Amino acid sequence: MARELDESLLNQHKEKHFTAGEIVRDIIIGVSDGLTVPFALAAGLSGANASSAVILTAGVAEVAAGAISMGLGGYLAAKSEADHYMRELKREQDEIIAVPDTEAAEVAEILSEYGVEPHEYTPVVNALRKNPKAWLDFMMKPRERIKNSGLSWDWRSQTKRALQSAMTIAIAYIVGGLVPLFPYMFIPTAAKAVAASVVVTLIALLVFGYAKGHFTETDRL
């Protein structure tokens, strides 16, 4: 009866989690670097009296190289995280088999940190020992970066996520990087183009900052 009541309450209250956090993070990384690095390069070349055509060529080359570099960095970071998780998973599996008493004591310690008394968590520990799969899942929960999002962790999905991260960062870098270079496409005089680039980049940064605050809900903290 109590279980049915709990399920009923859970069905009535569905929490809405922001599940696109990692994608937004990648976009933020790509756009923020894309807006600033090519702008700095273009402004520096403008000060050296280079023509708009030369600045645009150098800027496009930098955007291409930066997108590859940032995308590769995003892929390696996400892939390393997935590999680390798999090593931890294997270690926990081995420890549950080799030293079950130690692992059971670790479960008890985790529950006690939340104020659960020994007579309350002992049945939980015993129940987990009878279900190795649930036990392993419980032990890995603190290591999951997405544990608060209500999503399950899967190694294959994280490998796919590494590729997605690389593409997202690279595309975001290209989009952000073309913004400060846009004036140089239409204004042949570098001195005038750099002034327009400053204005365009500032507007883009303001819009980007607003969007970032909206999606990350910084205005609600």
Side-chain angles (χ1 to χ4, degrees):
M1 182 66 182
R3 182 175 181 178
E4 292 178 356
L5 178 61
D6 290 340
E7 291 179 352
S8 176
L9 291 173
L10 288 173
N11 290 331
Q12 292 176 13
H13 176 68
K14 295 291 186 181
E15 293 188 5
K16 296 181 179 180
H17 296 284
F18 184 62
T19 59
E22 291 184 333
I23 296 177
V24 171
R25 181 200 65 187
D26 292 339
I27 293 175
I28 290 172
I29 292 172
V31 173
S32 60
D33 276 20
L35 283 172
T36 54
V37 177
F39 170 78
L41 173 64
L45 291 175
S46 297
N49 295 322
S51 66
S52 290
V54 172
I55 295 172
L56 182 59
T57 301
V60 170
E62 194 287 324
V63 169
I68 294 172
S69 175
M70 294 288 292
L72 181 60
Y75 173 81
L76 292 176
K79 189 65 168 58
S80 297
E81 183 180 346
D83 291 342
H84 173 71
Y85 184 91
M86 289 306 298
R87 288 194 296 270
E88 288 295 301
L89 180 66
K90 181 64 168 60
R91 185 178 65 83
E92 286 293 345
Q93 286 177 325
D94 294 341
E95 289 181 351
I96 286 175
I97 296 173
V99 285
D101 292 338
T102 302
E103 290 297 289
E106 188 174 340
V107 173
E109 182 181 2
I110 292 173
L111 294 175
S112 66
E113 291 176 355
Y114 288 92
V116 182
E117 298 296 330
H119 69 278
E120 295 172 325
Y121 63 64
T122 298
V124 177
V125 174
N126 292 334
L128 287 174
R129 296 189 69 158
K130 296 176 182 177
N131 189 342
K133 186 176 182 299
W135 191 0
L136 178 63
D137 182 64
F138 179 86
M139 297 303 294
M140 293 304 297
K141 283 296 182 183
R143 297 172 176 82
E144 294 179 12
R145 285 188 53 209
I146 56 175
K147 63 180 180 299
N148 294 323
S149 67
L151 303 175
S152 60
W153 202 101
D154 177 71
W155 185 80
R156 291 185 180 87
S157 68
Q158 290 303 302
T159 301
K160 181 180 178 181
R161 164 67 196 143
L163 294 172
Q164 183 186 54
S165 177
M167 293 298 297
T168 303
I169 293 176
I171 293 173
Y173 188 91
I174 292 172
V175 172
L178 291 178
V179 171
L181 298 178
F182 188 74
Y184 294 92
M185 300 177 185
F186 303 99
I187 304 175
T189 306
K192 295 180 180 179
V194 71
S197 179
V198 170
V199 174
V200 171
T201 303
L202 284 176
I203 293 174
L205 285 171
L206 289 174
V207 174
F208 172 66
Y210 173 81
K212 174 179 176 293
H214 173 74
F215 284 108
T216 56
E217 298 183 341
T218 53
D219 56 328
R220 298 184 185 181
L221 294 179

